[in-house]
Amino acid sequence: MRKRRKIMLAAILCSMVYNIFLDCISASADYGTEISAASAIVMAADGSCIYEKNADEPRLIASTTKLMTALVAIEASKPDDPIEVRAECCGIEGTSMYLSPGEIRTADELLEGLLLASGNDAAEALSVGLYGSEEAFVAQMNKKAAALGLEHTAFINPHGLDAEGHRSTARDLAKLMLCCMQNERFAGITAMRQCVIDNKSYVNHNKLLDRCEGCIGGKTGYTRAAGRCLVSCCEREGTRFVCVTLNDPDDWNDHCKLYDEAFAAWENRLAVSAAECFEIPVTAGEGPVAPAAPERDLRLFVRKEEELVYIHELPRFVYAPVRAGDCAGRVIVLRGGEAAGEVKLVFTEDVSRSKKGE
């Protein structure tokens, strides 16, 4: 019986993954928006794909590299940790927050210069200051990429200047952005329009914060070889998406169009509520029924017009005693005949055995 249950569970999980794959193909085909990006993806907060275009094609990613730089730096520091800027970290080509040798900045000040001004010098200062060398820091970036399952990503430096072997994909960057936005420190900094550090003002390069309704963060990037790269996150009425475009000459407009279409067609629906209540008849108990409820809410990204089908697996009755917290069954949610998710049902109250007849 146990082996059969494992086989059934594996079949359900496979069908869930396959269903997400089919949804992505279908959603991409249904998108009416034409975009100019060489690679692109729109991903829901649960990791499901809403739209894609060459999303697994490895490319140069320019300063969107700094998403991983920021994540690794945040995990290795506290906001007020002092970091001394070494001479080799200054004068890096490209965008800069104009650090000077010997000055001391906090970790979060360097992160603000990294994510708002896209400072290549900030990337170097964080790398050397936190790990002792750029090489050690980049090794940690690649270790983190592997841990997140970013299969087509490799980092050679912390700033994103073109380098042989330095690459990622739209899909990997979307996964990375979802992870970054779960970090409160990162989310707070990337949402800032501007900041002032030691009387220097830095403006966020991400124009979507003002141009796109609900945009709550993102990272820009550009080199001549990589083209314009943009990773962003948008949330409206509790529904969140991330969007990635690589080598896209019209990235601002493309992100706005992709988000508008995604929010118009999809929603993060509460499929199962933990507030729902089920009553299961009890035999030989002090009470006639044992109340049960889902152990958690279940939300699914679905099309707004889509109907869900529910399978409630509950016993016809149970014998007393019943203990609160014990498994009572499960709810399986189907989309298009395929399993999309499930939630365990648990008893919410104790039911003692009846003393009558003893």
Side-chain angles (χ1 to χ4, degrees):
M1 180 63 73
R2 183 172 296 177
K3 183 176 181 181
R4 184 180 178 184
R5 284 184 176 179
K6 288 183 178 180
I7 293 173
M8 289 177 65
L9 179 58
I12 289 173
L13 292 174
C14 287
S15 69
M16 289 170 65
V17 173
Y18 183 63
N19 203 36
I20 290 174
F21 174 72
L22 291 179
D23 279 345
C24 189
I25 295 175
S26 175
S28 298
D30 290 347
Y31 251 70
T33 299
E34 293 289 337
I35 64 170
S36 56
S39 297
I41 195 170
V42 178
M43 187 175 287
D46 67 350
S48 56
C49 173
I50 304 303
Y51 168 88
E52 71 171 69
K53 176 183 178 183
N54 301 326
D56 295 313
E57 187 174 288
R59 291 184 171 277
L60 293 170
I61 58 172
S63 284
T64 60
T65 295
K66 290 164 183 161
L67 294 172
M68 182 62 84
T69 306
L71 186 59
V72 170
I74 286 171
E75 292 180 348
S77 69
K78 296 179 180 178
D80 294 327
D81 283 351
I83 297 176
E84 182 176 353
V85 179
R86 299 186 189 179
E88 64 265 31
C89 301
C90 303
I92 307 295
E93 67 172 297
T95 50
S96 177
M97 68 176 295
Y98 303 103
L99 296 170
S100 300
E103 72 172 295
I104 297 177
R105 300 264 65 94
T106 68
D108 270 15
E109 285 175 334
L110 291 175
L111 284 165
E112 289 167 7
L114 178 83
L115 293 175
L116 275 66
S118 200
N120 293 338
D121 51 354
E124 286 290 337
L126 286 165
S127 301
V128 176
L130 294 174
Y131 273 80
S133 69
E134 178 187 289
E135 292 75 17
F137 188 89
V138 171
Q140 183 61 27
M141 291 172 69
N142 286 312
K143 183 178 179 180
K144 186 66 177 181
L148 293 176
L150 310 186
E151 298 178 356
H152 306 291
T153 296
F155 298 107
I156 304 300
N157 60 59
H159 40 64
L161 291 175
D162 298 337
E164 185 176 353
H166 192 103
R167 65 187 185 276
S168 188
T169 66
R171 192 183 312 278
D172 279 2
L173 287 174
K175 293 178 182 178
L176 174 58
M177 186 60 172
L178 286 177
C179 179
C180 287
M181 292 302 294
Q182 291 175 358
N183 185 288
E184 291 184 7
R185 205 165 141 202
F186 177 95
I189 294 174
T190 192
M192 298 170 66
R193 262 67 173 180
Q194 62 181 17
C195 68
V196 177
I197 301 173
D198 197 22
N199 295 319
K200 295 178 183 178
S201 181
Y202 301 96
V203 177
N204 198 325
H205 290 187
N206 179 17
K207 296 181 180 180
L208 288 180
L209 290 171
D210 294 314
R211 292 187 182 185
C212 180
E213 176 191 353
C215 182
I216 55 175
K219 185 69 195 76
T220 60
Y222 173 79
T223 66
R224 183 172 295 180
R228 293 180 62 88
C229 302
L230 181 59
V231 180
S232 67
C233 181
C234 191
E235 184 172 307
R236 301 176 191 173
E237 298 181 354
T239 297
R240 176 178 291 191
F241 295 107
V242 299
C243 181
V244 180
T245 52
L246 301 178
N247 192 10
D248 185 354
D250 195 25
D251 50 7
W252 305 123
N253 289 327
D254 283 345
H255 276 239
C256 289
K257 290 187 295 185
L258 288 168
Y259 278 133
D260 285 345
E261 193 152 348
F263 284 111
W266 295 76
E267 65 180 351
N268 185 19
R269 187 183 303 173
L270 181 61
V272 178
S273 171
E276 295 181 47
C277 185
F278 301 86
E279 292 186 340
I280 303 171
V282 178
T283 297
E286 287 290 340
V289 297
E295 66 174 353
R296 60 180 176 85
D297 288 341
L298 173 65
R299 288 188 173 273
L300 296 174
F301 275 90
V302 297
R303 296 180 184 276
K304 290 184 176 181
E305 73 280 2
E306 187 172 1
E307 293 186 5
L308 300 176
V309 176
Y310 295 84
I311 298 175
H312 298 91
E313 292 188 349
L314 292 165
R316 288 184 297 169
F317 65 91
V318 292
Y319 288 100
V322 174
R323 297 287 178 260
D326 286 351
C327 180
R330 62 177 178 169
V331 178
I332 302 173
V333 185
L334 305 180
R335 295 179 58 197
E338 302 287 345
E342 68 173 75
V343 180
K344 184 169 72 172
L345 299 173
V346 295
F347 292 109
T348 58
E349 296 179 12
D350 291 340
V351 180
S352 301
R353 183 183 296 276
S354 175
K355 296 180 181 179
K356 294 180 181 180
E358 292 184 359

